[in-house]
Amino acid sequence: ETGVTQTPRHLVMGMTNKKSLKCEQHLGHNAMYWYKQSAKKPLELMFVYNFKEQTENNSVPSRFSPECPNSSHLFLHLHTLQPEDSALYLCASSPGQGADQPQHFGDGTRLSIL
Amino acid sequence: GENVEQHPSTLSVQEGDSAVIKCTYSDSASNYFPWYKQELGKRPQLIIDIRSNVGEKKDQRIAVTLNKTAKHFSLHITETQPEDSAVYFCAASIQYNKLIFGAGTRLAVHP
């Protein structure tokens, strides 16, 4: 299944680096999401975009900066991250932004902060 | 705040047995309850979902039941197979645009 594609799959960066994660969906969906998945913790919602407008920022630190240029693409810009930010970052999309819309996930980017 | 509790955290069964995973949610307004399966190193995949106007839904070996009064829902897998081994997540809708997830259940099916 290639409906939601994330790049890179793995990323190692130092705390002072700047990098970006990319997500692209080919499902014709209008809503996109960023989640953080840490070991033995529930998936944490970070951001929600609907028709490329941000509709939710779940108290995420400003060192994470999302960008949604259109309904098919979503970026997460990373700057001055901390070791506790090491996790799997998952992108998802859904037909609309309603909470009852099925969400489809990408394979994620495994991020390691040195 | 809203939360979803999921039990057990690990479950080990013999091939052919049934497996049951239970979730409890706190927001009485929740009306959508999906279940996701995540194999090692892979994406979470939606395997079944249920809406609040339905008490039970079945898809081949997988079924989900919902008790809105008690605010809990369960995933039932019958005739388990080794390929069912994975981490299973429940979720519940909150507010108008969010899902809140349980912590996951690691299911191991032994041949």
Side-chain angles (χ1 to χ4, degrees):
Chain A
E1 181 185 342
T2 58
V4 181
T5 304
Q6 289 187 244
T7 55
R9 291 295 311 276
H10 302 273
L11 179 62
V12 179
M13 58 186 286
M15 288 191 284
T16 58
N17 292 157
K18 290 183 181 181
K19 296 286 184 184
S20 296
L21 310 185
K22 179 182 176 182
C23 176
E24 183 174 1
Q25 60 94 1
H26 304 277
L27 301 169
H29 289 170
N30 296 314
M32 296 187 77
Y33 310 78
W34 280 118
Y35 286 90
K36 176 183 179 182
Q37 186 175 33
S38 305
K40 300 188 178 181
K41 291 177 69 175
L43 272 73
E44 299 173 54
L45 178 67
M46 300 174 72
F47 302 103
V48 180
Y49 277 82
N50 188 47
F51 288 101
K52 74 179 184 178
E53 297 296 323
Q54 187 181 125
T55 57
E56 187 73 32
N57 177 337
N58 209 29
S59 303
V60 180
S62 59
R63 58 185 183 269
F64 295 92
S65 175
E67 178 189 2
C68 189
N70 55 60
S71 294
S72 298
H73 294 85
L74 184 64
F75 296 89
L76 188 62
H77 304 300
L78 314 173
H79 174 52
T80 321
L81 296 192
Q82 304 298 310
E84 61 266 28
D85 297 323
S86 296
L88 180 68
Y89 288 84
L90 289 163
C91 172
S93 70
S94 64
Q97 75 159 352
D100 64 344
Q101 301 282 307
Q103 294 184 22
H104 298 259
F105 286 85
D107 285 327
T109 294
R110 174 72 60 187
L111 177 65
S112 298
I113 306 300
L114 300 178
Chain B
E2 300 93 348
N3 72 305
V4 173
E5 293 190 4
Q6 183 171 347
H7 299 281
S9 57
T10 59
L11 180 59
S12 182
V13 300
Q14 290 298 124
E15 183 177 0
D17 288 351
S18 295
V20 181
I21 303 170
K22 299 181 179 181
C23 289
T24 304
Y25 60 99
S26 58
D27 187 354
S28 57
S30 295
N31 62 0
Y32 176 65
F33 308 89
W35 285 89
Y36 286 85
K37 174 185 180 182
Q38 188 174 27
E39 297 176 70
L40 190 62
K42 296 191 176 180
R43 68 184 70 191
Q45 289 201 301
L46 180 67
I47 56 172
I48 195 167
D49 56 13
I50 192 168
R51 297 175 192 276
S52 58
N53 58 345
V54 175
E56 183 174 359
K57 184 176 178 180
K58 191 173 181 180
D59 182 3
Q60 299 182 339
R61 296 186 297 108
I62 294 173
V64 58
T65 58
L66 171 65
N67 184 326
K68 284 220 73 180
T69 303
K71 290 192 283 189
H72 65 70
F73 57 112
S74 301
L75 178 71
H76 304 253
I77 306 174
T78 58
E79 300 172 28
T80 54
Q81 301 166 5
E83 51 265 38
D84 294 330
S85 296
V87 179
Y88 291 81
F89 295 95
C90 63
S93 61
I94 59 170
Q95 299 175 15
Y96 71 99
N97 66 343
K98 294 182 186 179
L99 287 178
I100 186 164
F101 285 81
T105 296
R106 184 173 299 280
L107 173 64
V109 180
H110 301 285

